[in-house]
Amino acid sequence: MSLQDYKDLILPLRQQAGVKDRWLEERLETVIPAVMGRSDFDMWLIICHEYNEDPVIMSMLPATAMSARRLTILVFAKNDDGTIDRFSVDRYGHGKFFETKWNPDKEDQWDCLAGLIKERDPQKIGVNFSKTFSFGDGLSYTLAEKLSDALGEELMSRCAGAEDLAVGWLETRTESEMVAYPSMVKMGHDLIREAFSSHVVQPGVTTTDDVIWYMRQRIHDMGLQAWFQPNCELQAPGQSFEFLAKPKRKLILPGDMLWCDVGFYYLGLATDQQQQAYVLKPGEKDAPDGLKSALSDTNHLQDIHMRHMQIGRTGNEVLEMTLKESRIFGMNAQIYSHPLGFHGHAAGPTIGLWDMQDGVPGRGDYPVYDNTAYSIELNLRKAIPEWDDQVVRIQLEEDAIMKDGKMHWLDGRQHQNFHLIG
């Protein structure tokens, strides 16, 4: 399918808002009881100021909300039967999603919150502070002081960091989201397919920067939002690719191997993908066998990684097992996969960082849960005979989901074959 076809299929803003609000209602009715049910918290507070939003809060507000308003306070209170009551303690309320409890004409906002908490008498209250996850660290110092003043010493002694609630809420995908996700990932694949084609790349004329801005412009023209500046680099005999190194050449020539990294938001969910292309020399019909072998080995590395993604294993355990098995096959590999969802680098277990291959303390100790999405991101280095044994780096990133205890690619992957240009 062409990107123009997608542009015609992407919903107008009003319809997008309707979908996002339906998803929000589903999430509040299913995800909140699930994540609070697996915790010992009786109540969860999300408190933030307008334009200093908690990382969680915008995913809990209606689609028409562009920010928090003034001082926004959301309260989730667990009942004995496991159901959750949802309250807002702020001036404007949030429609059908939260019951508004505060009347500004009758009482102070903090007094209202304190009264609600005393009435419910929770034994353990979750608040968003965390030394490990930025997603669970949204309560500002000033608001923490005001909360303490409002609740007093005894109730504040019941408060604890709710990072597991914040991460659990953000990382869990509902059935509706999981059904819709593959089509978004397919849009990303088709964007790469178009960018890595003769329609875009004219060897000797086009630069890697041209490809970068082509992808960025196409995302914009389709009515989507890039969540990072796309990237494109080349490798060729005499020119290797290394992280953070300034490329020697940007002009694309025959015989180059190209790599791209691109991701966007649609309906509040992010994609993140990396693939490889080869620019044919005159008379060539395919990439050199050495490059194809390296790509095949990287696909094998993906298979190993996906197999070790199991519910209950921590990110660090998945990293260790994947690298250990890769070494059995003589692979020179790096793993730096991450969760995917409301954010590109999203909430959930960190599975290696490119500069931390021995594990990531804290974030890597969080376990894999069902109904969660990931970017399986990795690279493999291998010497290429046709390039005088120069070591190249094959970098792949494909989006996948853990559903019903098994990992699945959301829209397949680049497998065995390069995108061929020429």
Side-chain angles (χ1 to χ4, degrees):
M1 184 179 292
S2 72
L3 293 186
Q4 182 59 44
D5 293 331
Y6 280 118
K7 184 177 180 181
D8 296 336
L9 290 174
I10 289 171
L11 297 175
L13 285 179
R14 183 175 182 178
Q15 291 178 257
Q16 288 188 39
V19 171
K20 292 168 74 173
D21 281 351
R22 288 196 298 272
W23 287 2
L24 174 59
E25 186 171 15
E26 180 183 7
R27 291 183 59 78
L28 291 171
E29 293 291 342
T30 60
V31 178
I32 288 293
V35 297
M36 290 193 70
R38 71 192 188 202
S39 78
D40 57 354
F41 287 103
D42 304 301
M43 180 174 284
W44 185 19
L45 308 178
I46 296 93
I47 308 172
C48 68
H49 277 130
E50 185 173 358
Y51 302 130
N52 190 27
E53 281 81 8
D54 183 295
V56 170
I57 200 164
M58 294 310 297
S59 66
M60 294 178 167
L61 300 183
T64 52
M66 307 301 286
S67 67
R69 298 297 302 276
R70 299 189 183 181
L71 174 61
T72 298
I73 301 176
L74 303 181
V75 180
F76 298 94
K78 186 191 297 181
N79 298 307
D80 291 339
D81 62 0
T83 59
I84 306 296
D85 291 331
R86 307 190 300 267
F87 307 109
S88 71
V89 184
D90 45 60
R91 177 173 289 276
Y92 295 102
H94 309 287
K96 65 181 179 180
F97 301 107
F98 293 87
E99 179 185 349
T100 303
K101 299 296 286 186
W102 179 42
N103 184 340
D105 296 328
K106 292 185 177 181
E107 61 182 332
D108 174 79
Q109 189 172 6
W110 289 104
D111 289 342
C112 178
L113 175 63
L116 174 60
I117 294 173
K118 290 174 183 176
E119 176 186 334
R120 301 293 300 220
D121 193 29
Q123 298 308 296
K124 188 173 182 181
I125 305 167
V127 292
N128 288 355
F129 64 83
S130 171
K131 294 181 179 180
T132 303
F133 289 99
S134 60
F135 295 108
D137 196 35
L139 184 67
S140 72
Y141 182 86
T142 299
L143 292 180
E145 283 189 322
K146 290 186 176 182
L147 178 65
S148 179
D149 290 341
L151 298 191
E153 184 176 349
E154 199 281 324
L155 281 178
M156 276 302 294
S157 69
R158 305 183 193 182
C159 293
E163 61 182 24
D164 284 354
L165 296 181
V167 173
W169 160 261
L170 291 172
E171 74 171 340
T172 304
R173 306 272 63 84
T174 63
E175 188 66 30
S176 297
E177 292 168 334
M178 289 188 286
V179 169
Y181 227 144
S183 64
M184 302 179 198
V185 175
K186 187 177 188 303
M187 279 194 282
H189 282 154
D190 286 341
L191 171 62
I192 294 172
R193 188 174 296 111
E194 182 173 289
F196 278 164
S197 72
S198 299
H199 174 71
V200 175
V201 178
Q202 182 180 349
V205 175
T206 308
T207 68
T208 51
D209 284 344
D210 294 331
V211 177
I212 288 170
W213 281 103
Y214 180 87
M215 292 188 291
R216 180 70 181 271
Q217 188 66 49
R218 288 296 267 165
I219 291 171
H220 175 77
D221 292 345
M222 292 167 67
L224 306 173
Q225 178 187 356
W227 66 269
F228 65 95
Q229 175 74 345
N231 204 351
C232 179
E233 301 285 354
L234 66 86
Q235 296 177 76
Q239 179 162 330
S240 299
F241 173 77
E242 293 296 334
F243 284 124
L244 305 181
K246 185 176 180 179
K248 299 176 183 177
R249 170 167 60 85
K250 294 186 176 183
L251 182 66
I252 298 172
L253 299 174
D256 288 348
M257 183 176 70
L258 305 180
W259 158 83
C260 73
D261 188 1
V262 63
F264 55 79
Y265 288 116
Y266 180 49
L267 294 174
L269 298 176
T271 68
D272 196 5
Q273 298 157 322
Q274 298 177 29
Q275 293 193 351
Q276 305 276 162
Y278 179 74
V279 185
L280 295 169
K281 296 178 179 179
E284 283 186 322
K285 295 184 178 180
D286 204 347
D289 288 342
L291 292 180
K292 293 175 67 176
S293 175
L295 179 60
S296 179
D297 287 351
T298 313
N299 288 148
H300 184 193
L301 179 62
Q302 289 176 314
D303 293 337
I304 294 171
H305 187 356
M306 290 280 277
R307 187 169 64 253
H308 288 301
M309 291 283 292
Q310 295 188 18
I311 293 174
R313 284 183 179 166
T314 67
N316 287 333
E317 289 171 339
V318 174
L319 173 67
E320 180 182 11
M321 292 176 177
T322 302
L323 289 176
K324 182 177 181 180
E325 184 172 347
S326 74
R327 287 191 283 268
I328 294 173
F329 294 95
M331 296 179 181
N332 184 0
Q334 289 183 312
I335 307 295
Y336 35 97
S337 298
H338 57 85
L340 191 69
F342 289 128
H343 305 86
H345 294 152
T350 298
I351 308 167
L353 296 170
W354 69 267
D355 55 349
M356 297 182 70
Q357 290 294 284
D358 293 325
V360 182
R363 287 180 293 156
D365 296 318
Y366 187 85
V368 174
Y369 283 97
D370 208 12
N371 301 326
T372 52
Y374 301 87
S375 277
I376 302 300
E377 185 177 7
L378 44 76
N379 73 59
L380 180 144
R381 295 182 180 90
K382 188 171 184 177
I384 307 302
E386 297 89 342
W387 289 11
D388 295 327
D389 285 332
Q390 176 179 319
V391 174
V392 304
R393 185 200 302 262
I394 302 292
Q395 300 173 107
L396 296 178
E397 183 174 17
E398 298 287 5
D399 300 337
I401 199 155
M402 173 66 80
K403 187 176 188 301
D404 299 327
K406 294 183 179 179
M407 288 293 291
H408 309 270
W409 298 113
L410 280 165
D411 182 54
R413 56 174 170 162
Q414 182 174 20
H415 188 249
Q416 303 294 334
N417 296 312
F418 286 85
H419 297 280
L420 297 177
I421 303 171

